Amino acid sequence: QMDLCIEAFGTSKQKRALNSRRLNAVGNDILNTAVTKAAANIIDAKGVTALIQDMAQDDVQNISIFLPLCNEDADKPENVYKFEDILSPAEYEALRAPAAVFVNITPEEIAKKAEDKSHCSFVLEELKFLPADEKSRDHKSRCLWFLDTLIKFSYLKVIKKKHPMGPECPHIISRKLMKNFTSLTYNNGSVQNLISASMKAKITAYVITLALHINNFQTDLTVLQNDMKLQESRMMDIAKALRLKVSKAKGLPGLENDLNHKLGTLSLPLPVQKASGNQRKRKKMN
């Protein structure tokens, strides 16, 4: 009815806007029809099963894009994913101040933090086993503080604050989080930082890699999975993309009777990356 009123009594500007909107609507209908027809043709040509396989393969490849830099020719596990590629020297130095809260932490304080759930389970457990050596203790504290911050950052969806992790987070770390672990999106004419599914996968990959450095290149993936609030299948996909060997957590302290936990181990030689071979085979078939 409003459109009819504009046609009969509207100004020239209103009539032009109405015609433009109608043309856009027609254009959208034509586009939707074309897309639907194209999708139907693809389904007819390839079949639903082949398309599902393609999507699964693409998902594995998408994960691989967001992994830390991998040195396949490494002579030691610590050189496969180098620590400096996770935290630069400047970033590592900036963690000294905020991580000091962990260096001299007492068992009573750890118990209080566990009660308050102020840190993730992985960090709370590792705080119980800080090395006695001052340098090693400081190093592990910095790693745990950054890992905890990464996991908390992954819970956010749209980043609205300039310093989303609070004033205690060093500026260089805040910049790293925003630059490396968010995607830019447009909403209501403004640019926003978003933690998309792919960015969540990237954060998870870096969390696992850092946990491997903390735990002598073997870590409990199930604990990290629960901290990251992920499905097991997604966690296993990322772990395998990182070239980890996955096994059950039989015999670990506190987990002797729990075979539902999965261990991820980074060891040499690295398992063969199967995804790329499947992709090459599929391209030949096309």
Side-chain angles (χ1 to χ4, degrees):
Q1 289 177 343
M2 180 62 71
D3 289 349
L4 291 175
C5 288
I6 291 173
E7 280 185 335
F9 308 108
T11 64
S12 298
K13 184 176 180 180
Q14 288 174 328
K15 289 179 181 180
R16 284 198 302 272
L18 175 61
N19 289 333
S20 178
R21 179 157 52 80
R22 284 175 170 173
L23 287 172
N24 285 336
V26 172
N28 287 335
D29 288 341
I30 293 172
L31 179 60
N32 289 334
T33 302
V35 170
T36 302
K37 185 177 179 180
N41 290 339
I42 292 172
I43 292 172
D44 289 341
K46 298 198 70 170
V48 175
T49 302
L51 285 172
I52 292 174
Q53 290 174 346
D54 285 358
M55 289 171 64
Q57 179 62 41
D58 288 342
D59 191 48
V60 171
Q61 285 200 321
N62 288 337
I63 291 174
S64 67
I65 294 171
F66 300 104
L67 300 180
L69 184 64
C70 178
N71 178 17
E72 297 194 9
D73 299 323
D75 56 344
K76 295 183 290 187
E78 55 264 39
N79 291 331
V80 176
Y81 299 107
K82 292 185 178 180
F83 186 79
E84 294 76 14
D85 291 332
I86 304 171
L87 282 167
S88 71
E91 292 160 353
Y92 181 77
E93 179 58 32
L95 292 172
R96 180 191 299 274
V101 68
F102 288 166
V103 174
N104 299 313
I105 198 167
T106 65
E108 293 75 20
E109 288 172 331
I110 295 173
K112 181 66 166 61
K113 288 180 180 295
E115 184 180 334
D116 296 340
K117 297 181 178 179
S118 57
H119 300 289
C120 65
S121 299
F122 178 88
V123 169
L124 290 170
E125 188 63 25
E126 290 298 324
L127 284 173
K128 299 175 184 177
F129 305 103
L130 289 176
D133 174 69
E134 184 178 344
K135 186 176 180 180
S136 300
R137 191 180 185 90
D138 175 60
H139 172 73
K140 186 172 182 178
S141 294
R142 297 192 206 195
C143 293
L144 289 175
W145 194 92
F146 181 63
L147 185 144
D148 190 64
T149 300
L150 266 179
I151 290 177
K152 288 176 180 175
F153 188 72
S154 74
Y155 299 159
L156 306 177
K157 295 186 185 293
V158 177
I159 315 298
K160 297 180 179 179
K161 299 179 181 178
K162 188 175 181 179
H163 301 288
M165 305 313 295
E168 69 277 5
C169 184
H171 178 68
I172 191 173
I173 300 298
S174 291
R175 191 167 67 236
K176 178 185 184 73
L177 296 174
M178 297 294 283
K179 180 180 178 181
N180 295 334
F181 300 107
T182 66
S183 302
L184 290 178
T185 184
Y186 292 90
N187 186 33
N188 293 328
S190 62
V191 179
Q192 293 180 332
N193 292 85
L194 173 75
I195 297 182
S196 60
S198 58
M199 286 296 109
K200 178 99 172 182
K202 182 176 183 179
I203 294 172
T204 304
Y206 277 74
V207 164
I208 294 173
T209 306
L210 186 55
L212 290 168
H213 277 273
I214 292 170
N215 278 337
N216 199 26
F217 303 97
Q218 184 178 75
T219 194
D220 190 322
L221 295 171
T222 303
V223 173
L224 293 175
Q225 170 204 322
N226 292 334
D227 283 337
M228 292 293 300
K229 300 179 182 178
L230 290 174
Q231 292 185 342
E232 183 180 271
S233 59
R234 186 64 167 167
M235 193 69 174
M236 293 303 106
D237 284 344
I238 296 170
K240 289 174 183 176
L242 284 167
R243 315 283 283 275
L244 303 188
K245 294 176 182 176
V246 179
S247 59
K248 292 182 180 179
K250 185 177 180 180
L252 285 185
L255 296 174
E256 291 89 346
N257 299 320
D258 188 352
L259 299 183
N260 293 321
H261 280 243
K262 297 291 193 303
L263 279 181
T265 304
L266 181 63
S267 59
L268 299 176
L270 293 174
V272 177
Q273 187 69 279
K274 296 179 180 179
S276 59
N278 292 338
Q279 181 69 8
R280 283 196 298 269
K281 183 178 180 181
R282 195 185 77 197
K283 284 185 176 178
K284 289 178 182 177
M285 290 173 64
N286 288 344

